[in-house]
Amino acid sequence: MIKFFRKIRQNLLSEGKTGKYLKYAIGEIILVVIGILIALQLNNLNENKKNDVFEKEILSQIQENLKSDKLVLKQIELNFMKAIASSNKILNAQESQKTKDSIKIWLGAIIQFDRFQPLTNAYEVLKSNGLDRISNKQLRFLLGKYYDDESLRIIKSTNDIEIAFNDHWTPILFQETVEFEFKKSVELKDYSVLLKSSKERNILKLSRDNYSFGINKIKSGINTIEEIQNLIGK
């Protein structure tokens, strides 16, 4: 094709048709420019298609990760709610044999901890490729909000409760416990210490506050997950 165009130019020059040559040369340049523009457009279309495929695949993976996170958070939320309810029952209880039997179960719900580690593999892949690969601005914002902010706050809240378990409850378990079954029951030698002003009662109150704080963070995280899931679904 190039030889063909070159031959035409040479013929026009040899025949002294300079005007026609210039017109031809300009036309040839225009054709080259048009060809480049078409190639660029095709390349852009191809890149857009690749990005669409990537976006759908990565959002599908994120959706699965969030589904798992939500299940875990729902269970932790339930455990925290049981711990708060049990704390209030003990703090409002009166000393009796029936109370003693109940406190054993209530303490099982309180003296425990959960760990949370969000599934971030899909989000990390997305970040390495650029968050702008997600076309919806609101979705980009919510992904950053959950993974870079709220999930970290939830991790800290669950860690705080585990620290409280180790620092505050473990010494009591070693010294005052008759029987201990994790997340099920805790039988103390003298449960009455929880029903009057004491270090143990203060620890109980602090524990309840930690659970309340953690629930607020978990609820916020779950709400954001559901917003993300709805946007991805659309």
Side-chain angles (χ1 to χ4, degrees):
M1 183 64 72
I2 295 175
K3 290 182 178 180
F4 175 74
F5 287 136
R6 186 184 299 124
K7 185 174 181 181
I8 293 175
R9 291 198 302 271
Q10 289 173 349
N11 289 337
L12 290 173
L13 286 173
S14 63
E15 293 174 4
K17 298 179 180 179
T18 307
K20 288 185 178 181
Y21 173 80
L22 291 173
K23 291 179 181 179
Y24 174 79
I26 292 171
E28 188 175 325
I29 292 171
I30 292 172
L31 286 175
V32 171
V33 170
I34 291 173
I36 292 172
L37 291 174
I38 291 173
L40 289 173
Q41 183 65 24
L42 291 173
N43 183 65
N44 287 338
L45 289 173
N46 188 46
E47 288 300 316
N48 289 338
K49 185 177 180 180
K50 288 181 179 178
N51 190 66
D52 288 344
V53 171
F54 172 81
E55 182 179 12
K56 289 178 181 178
E57 289 179 351
I58 202 68
L59 286 179
S60 176
Q61 294 174 30
I62 288 175
Q63 185 81 297
E64 290 302 311
N65 286 351
L66 290 175
K67 188 185 297 183
S68 297
D69 282 3
K70 185 178 175 181
L71 287 174
V72 173
L73 289 175
K74 284 285 189 181
Q75 183 58 55
I76 296 175
E77 180 186 23
L78 180 61
N79 292 341
F80 282 16
M81 290 174 67
K82 287 181 179 179
I84 293 171
S86 296
S87 298
N88 289 328
K89 288 176 182 177
I90 294 176
L91 292 171
N92 295 323
Q94 301 295 322
E95 188 170 350
S96 69
Q97 183 58 47
K98 183 178 180 181
T99 299
K100 182 178 179 179
D101 295 337
S102 299
I103 284 180
K104 180 171 67 174
I105 305 301
W106 295 339
L107 283 176
I110 298 166
I111 305 177
Q112 54 91 25
F113 61 87
D114 289 284
R115 290 172 180 165
F116 174 65
Q117 185 58 51
L119 297 176
T120 61
N121 55 317
Y123 181 67
E124 292 301 327
V125 170
L126 173 60
K127 283 210 298 186
S128 67
N129 282 271
L131 286 174
D132 58 348
R133 300 290 293 273
I134 303 301
S135 55
N136 187 296
K137 291 182 180 180
Q138 178 66 6
L139 183 53
R140 289 202 301 267
F141 168 76
L142 290 173
L143 287 170
K145 179 183 178 183
Y146 172 70
Y147 283 107
D148 298 328
D149 181 25
E150 291 184 328
S151 65
L152 301 181
R153 293 175 184 270
I154 294 170
I155 291 172
K156 186 179 184 307
S157 292
T158 54
N159 285 347
D160 287 345
I161 290 172
E162 183 174 354
I163 291 171
F165 175 90
N166 292 324
D167 293 348
H168 299 149
W169 287 118
T170 299
I172 294 173
L173 292 175
F174 279 126
Q175 296 171 16
E176 305 295 335
T177 302
V178 175
E179 183 180 342
F180 171 65
E181 190 173 359
F182 188 65
K183 287 192 175 184
K184 290 188 177 180
S185 65
V186 178
E187 184 175 354
L188 299 180
K189 295 176 184 177
D190 180 13
Y191 69 94
S192 65
V193 295
L194 296 171
L195 307 180
K196 60 187 178 182
S197 295
S198 63
K199 179 185 72 175
E200 289 81 4
R201 189 173 175 88
N202 289 335
I203 291 173
L204 182 61
K205 291 177 180 178
L206 177 63
S207 177
R208 179 188 60 181
D209 292 342
N210 282 339
Y211 280 120
S212 296
F213 183 78
I215 277 188
N216 291 334
K217 300 303 177 185
I218 290 172
K219 285 183 179 295
S220 179
I222 291 175
N223 287 339
T224 301
I225 286 175
E226 291 175 347
E227 286 186 72
I228 293 170
Q229 289 177 320
N230 289 334
L231 281 176
I232 292 177
K234 293 177 182 178

